Amino acid sequence: YTLSLHYALPILAFYESPRRIGETLGAMAAAFGADRPAAVALELTKKFERVMRGSLSDLGAQTGQTRKLEAV
């Protein structure tokens, strides 16, 4: 099942706890490929909404300090 996700082309959306976002991005990089383009949206519908874009491996490195934020 995980191997087949590597070849999935459509847009996929996952909701994750900020405490697990780094670990989840690492698992996604393993399943989908570290170079797969992705985006992480933080604090949606709030005053300080933020969207980070990059490869899964880059985003995993960037989101290690987002423990207290809502992430999508």
Side-chain angles (χ1 to χ4, degrees), residues 38-61:
V40 173
L42 303 170
E43 299 294 333
L44 290 179
T45 71
K46 301 215 168 104
K47 184 177 181 179
F48 301 105
E49 181 176 298
R50 178 169 58 139
V51 178
M52 299 184 300
R53 293 175 178 86
S55 68
L56 285 170
S57 60
D58 290 342
L59 289 171

Side-chain angles (χ1 to χ4, degrees), residues 12-18 20-21 24 28 39-41 44 70-72:
L12 304 171
F14 298 88
Y15 295 87
E16 185 57 274
S17 161
R20 293 188 307 256
I21 191 71
T24 300
M28 288 177 165
V40 173
L44 290 179
E70 294 176 359
V72 175

